[in-house]
Amino acid sequence: MLNLERLRTLDALARHGSVSAAAEALHVTTSAVSQQLGKLEREVGQQLLAKNGRGVRLTDAGRLLSEHAGRILSQVELAESDLEAQRGQVVGELRLSAFPTAARGLFPAALGTLRRRHPGLRVRSTELEPEQGIAGVVRGDLDLAVVLDWYNKPMPVPDGLVKAPLLDDPADVAMPVDHPLAHRDEVDLAEFADDEWITWAEGEFCHEWLTFTLRSKGVEPIVGHRASETHTQLGLVASGLGVCIAPRLGRNPVPEGVVLVPLVQRVRRHVYVVWRADADRRPSIRAAVEALRTAARSVD
């Protein structure tokens, strides 16, 4: 009889490509991963792994079994989802993530509602950038992730995931109070060609969006500082170190010395929540989505 935990370990190795990455995804040690895979090889009587330099690779038998493992684990989750749906109770554990401003702007209200309404549900939350959140849901490390894309740059969502919109989040330009454009009712991004930008870390989806958008207007961005947190960016703006894009979700309080001016382009982020289609019937998933929607409706 194949052991589900060992199949889960094999599936993690196939998805992540190495023993150390599989161990990190499963929140166990590399030794535990190696032991589980060794036991699985003995159970099936075939070699599943072969050495590949300093790492390992799947053999033909390993790839074959990993493909079955992915389908088996999906069916197990579907069965658990159906049983939970039949029971109709919002109980168990729910793991979810959100990018930082959504965690700040939505999680306090949404998770507080879940605790009050469903005391038998244990919620575990973490802050993750959108790409990491989506990857966590695909791997099964997370049940839901609050993610985003921009009005002119969609975030690809893999097959097998369901998504539901939460809100459209307008963004303004934050600039020092003595900036030449601080008195304006609205501004155009092209007007900041000579300004230093305070942006997100290189490689993050929001940084790539800003670079893409400025270049589409003929502006090569001058990046002076990088910070993942909106409040860190606004603090740097308050000190006169540059300008930044400041979405409204989770942005307050805005520090003194910062002026926020709307953009002519009506720049917006689309904020939504994603989960696996095979978990769609779980009452806890539905309860969490409803709580997030309610929190989103209360956002100014």
Side-chain angles (χ1 to χ4, degrees):
M1 182 68 70
L2 292 171
N3 180 283
L4 279 179
E5 200 57 40
R6 289 164 200 155
L7 289 179
R8 196 179 305 281
T9 304
L10 179 65
D11 180 66
L13 179 69
R15 288 177 182 273
H16 300 288
S18 71
V19 171
S20 59
E24 183 177 353
L26 295 170
H27 306 291
V28 298
T29 64
T30 55
S31 176
V33 169
S34 297
Q35 290 174 16
Q36 290 280 47
L37 293 173
K39 290 178 181 178
L40 185 59
E41 285 187 324
R42 290 192 291 275
E43 284 176 352
V44 301
Q46 294 192 59
Q47 183 180 0
L48 303 176
L49 304 176
K51 288 186 177 181
N52 185 30
R54 295 185 177 182
V56 296
R57 62 173 176 81
L58 293 173
T59 63
D60 289 345
R63 284 195 298 273
L64 177 64
L65 185 56
S66 71
E67 291 170 2
H68 283 292
R71 291 192 292 270
I72 290 167
L73 293 169
S74 180
Q75 282 299 118
V76 168
E77 179 157 10
L78 185 59
E80 292 173 343
S81 176
D82 285 345
L83 286 170
E84 188 178 325
Q86 185 190 49
R87 187 168 61 233
Q89 296 177 338
V90 181
V91 296
E93 182 173 271
L94 193 71
R95 303 155 299 169
L96 66 165
S97 74
F99 57 95
T101 50
R104 180 184 179 93
L106 297 177
F107 272 7
L111 304 191
T113 296
L114 286 173
R115 171 165 287 189
R116 289 191 303 274
R117 293 181 179 175
H118 309 289
L121 181 65
R122 185 172 61 257
V123 178
R124 299 287 179 264
S125 69
T126 187
E127 288 187 2
L128 290 175
E129 291 302 319
E131 304 96 324
Q132 296 171 301
I134 287 176
V137 173
V138 169
R139 291 194 305 264
D141 301 337
L142 297 168
D143 298 302
L144 302 101
V146 178
V147 299
L148 66 89
D149 57 23
W150 291 86
Y151 73 105
N152 60 342
K153 193 173 179 63
M155 166 76 75
V157 175
D159 292 340
L161 297 189
V162 179
K163 74 175 185 177
L166 295 177
L167 74 154
D168 281 350
D169 183 30
D172 306 311
V173 177
M175 61 193 80
V177 69
D178 59 355
H179 192 281
L181 302 178
H183 67 284
R184 294 272 293 277
D185 292 329
E186 57 184 17
V187 290
D188 189 291
L189 281 172
E191 296 180 272
F192 296 92
D194 297 326
D195 284 272
E196 283 196 36
W197 281 93
I198 299 161
T199 182
W200 296 267
E202 189 168 3
E204 285 189 15
F205 184 72
C206 288
H207 170 75
E208 299 302 322
W209 165 80
L210 180 61
T211 302
F212 165 81
T213 302
L214 288 172
R215 286 175 177 167
S216 72
K217 300 183 98 27
V219 175
E220 184 60 33
I222 304 167
V223 176
H225 304 277
R226 300 179 186 275
S228 295
E229 287 282 355
T230 296
H231 286 83
T232 304
Q233 294 184 7
L234 291 174
L236 295 170
V237 171
S239 294
L241 298 173
V243 301
C244 75
I245 293 291
R248 297 179 190 176
L249 178 63
R251 151 177 104 185
N252 290 329
V254 176
E256 292 184 11
V258 174
V259 173
L260 299 161
V261 182
L263 282 156
V264 175
Q265 291 88 356
R266 297 295 183 263
V267 170
R268 292 178 180 271
R269 302 188 300 183
H270 306 306
V271 180
Y272 51 95
V273 58
V274 299
W275 64 94
R276 292 183 301 281
D278 51 21
D280 194 46
R281 294 185 61 202
R282 286 177 57 188
S284 57
I285 295 284
R286 298 189 176 199
V289 172
E290 181 55 34
L292 285 165
R293 282 176 163 165
T294 300
R297 286 194 291 269
S298 68
V299 172
D300 294 332

